[in-house]
Amino acid sequence: MSRFIRFVALLAWIPAFAGPTYEGIGRAATPDEIAAWDIDVRPDFKGLPKGSGSVADGQKIWDAKCASCHGTFGESNEVFAPLVGGTTAADVKAGRVKALVTGDTARTTLMKVSSVSTLYDYIRRAMPWNAPKSLTNDEVYAVLAYLLSLGDILPDNYVLSDANIAEVQQRLPNRNGMTRNHGLWDVKGKPDVVNVACMTNCKTDVHLASAFPEYARGSHGDLSQQNRMIGATASSPTAVAARVEVVAQAAASPADLAKSRGCLACHAVDRKVVGPSFKDVANKYKPDADGAGKIATRIRGGSSGAWGSIPMPANAGVSPAEAQALAQWIMGL
């Protein structure tokens, strides 16, 4: 956007120095107007404002302005797709998220983004959703620091600033995941799809190589009623109905219940996501005669300190009977 904006600004200034002016049609842009427009941050960090913010301060801002949509730990799938999850320490070291290659987990923002400047720029210009550009530069640094700490990219005591953000870029899990060797970047580049035209013996059966999980369909509601009035947005009312149906039948099995109640946003059966795997939880509580009861209590009431610094929020949407069923299922793993 920066080059475009400067080009437009140049056009706006030309009449002031050369050629005729046209009364009632435009005027020269002021330096303040140009500055208000030209706020993009490039991957080389040109355009990045001075400032700093700590993880601790970011958590306070997050809880007040971000958690309602993204969850306390960036794990929520209720309003928008999860921001956190699916990355590992090995990904941070390699700079390429393995799960994007193997395709064995749902994608999150921290799995996909390849430049930390993209995160800063987007938060600064578009968040919070109901009050974009209302955060100060220091608040944006703080929120970004907290978000990166949720993905174990930054430690809890980190202070992010314009002076050290380039160092943080070298810890982004998918920093090496972007390539320019394709036709989407350059029309002379390699096409992103390679095949030959087929107009004979066409297959009539359809095989889906991938599909949006049934339990997640319609999780955002009717998007056509939620978007800003810019352009057309397609939505599927049937998907909303399907989501309601899935939730209504979730009690058919504990695994389905875990999906419908949002447990899988933070946990997986056999691997750590935001929280520990269910198998690790089972192994920890098996020696306890009332292990299932304690797990059920923590599901509904939340807990902190049991698995590190990140607490687990209470899940009031789970009934006591459902919590007991989930706990028994976990213990059986």
Side-chain angles (χ1 to χ4, degrees):
M1 281 296 293
S2 183
R3 291 180 182 175
F4 173 75
I5 290 169
R6 286 167 186 151
F7 175 71
V8 172
L10 176 61
L11 293 180
W13 279 100
I14 286 175
F17 298 98
T21 59
Y22 300 92
E23 185 176 353
I25 301 178
R27 62 172 176 77
T30 68
D32 286 343
E33 289 171 336
I34 296 173
W37 254 0
D38 193 11
I39 65 170
D40 64 298
V41 181
R42 301 190 330 190
D44 62 0
F45 301 110
K46 186 173 182 178
L48 184 74
K50 292 187 177 298
S52 63
S54 67
V55 172
D57 288 340
Q59 182 176 5
K60 297 174 184 176
I61 301 168
W62 185 279
D63 289 343
K65 301 183 178 182
C66 312
S68 58
C69 286
H70 297 294
T72 304
F73 308 111
E75 83 295 348
S76 177
N77 191 39
E78 292 301 315
V79 180
F80 300 107
L83 302 179
V84 178
T87 59
T88 66
D91 296 334
V92 172
K93 183 176 181 181
R96 183 71 171 116
V97 175
K98 183 179 180 181
L100 288 176
V101 180
T102 59
D104 56 0
T105 186
R107 297 184 177 189
T108 67
T109 297
L110 291 187
M111 287 173 61
K112 297 182 290 184
V113 70
S114 60
S115 174
V116 70
S117 65
T118 300
L119 295 173
Y120 186 96
D121 184 81
Y122 187 78
I123 295 170
R124 184 188 186 196
R125 71 172 61 251
M127 293 291 114
W129 175 256
N130 61 342
K133 295 185 181 179
S134 62
L135 297 176
T136 66
N137 292 335
D138 287 345
E139 287 176 331
V140 176
Y141 278 109
V143 168
L144 179 54
Y146 179 65
L147 174 62
L148 295 175
S149 74
L150 293 177
D152 293 327
I153 299 169
L154 294 181
D156 293 342
N157 61 351
Y158 199 84
V159 177
L160 180 65
S161 71
D162 60 293
N164 60 21
I165 196 170
E167 300 172 9
V168 177
Q169 170 65 28
Q170 299 309 310
R171 290 185 53 80
L172 211 60
N174 203 45
R175 60 186 178 275
N176 298 326
M178 185 176 72
T179 175
R180 299 180 180 179
N181 185 29
H182 52 73
L184 293 176
W185 182 269
D186 185 348
V187 294
K188 297 179 181 179
K190 181 180 178 182
D192 60 316
V193 175
V194 179
N195 210 327
V196 295
C198 173
M199 302 303 293
T200 60
N201 300 322
C202 299
K203 294 182 178 180
T204 57
D205 61 318
V206 178
H207 172 68
L208 294 178
S210 63
F212 199 53
E214 185 69 26
Y215 69 86
R217 293 186 180 182
S219 60
H220 293 189
D222 187 350
L223 297 184
S224 66
Q225 301 300 316
Q226 301 172 24
N227 280 265
R228 295 166 176 165
M229 300 304 293
I230 301 176
T233 302
S235 185
S236 172
T238 57
V240 179
R243 168 67 174 166
V244 173
E245 181 66 17
V246 169
V247 173
Q249 297 177 358
S253 73
D256 289 336
L257 187 62
K259 291 179 181 179
S260 68
R261 294 300 183 261
C263 304
L264 298 187
C266 290
H267 303 278
V269 171
D270 56 359
R271 65 182 179 359
K272 180 182 182 298
V273 184
V274 177
S277 72
F278 288 141
K279 287 187 176 180
D280 287 341
V281 174
N283 289 332
K284 178 174 182 175
Y285 286 97
K286 276 182 179 177
D288 193 324
D290 188 34
K294 291 181 178 178
I295 293 174
T297 299
R298 283 163 171 74
I299 289 173
R300 283 179 45 79
S303 68
S304 62
W307 297 93
S309 59
I310 300 179
M312 184 178 83
N315 194 335
V318 177
S319 69
E322 290 173 337
Q324 193 62 39
L326 285 169
Q328 293 292 347
W329 173 64
I330 292 171
M331 291 293 286
L333 298 173

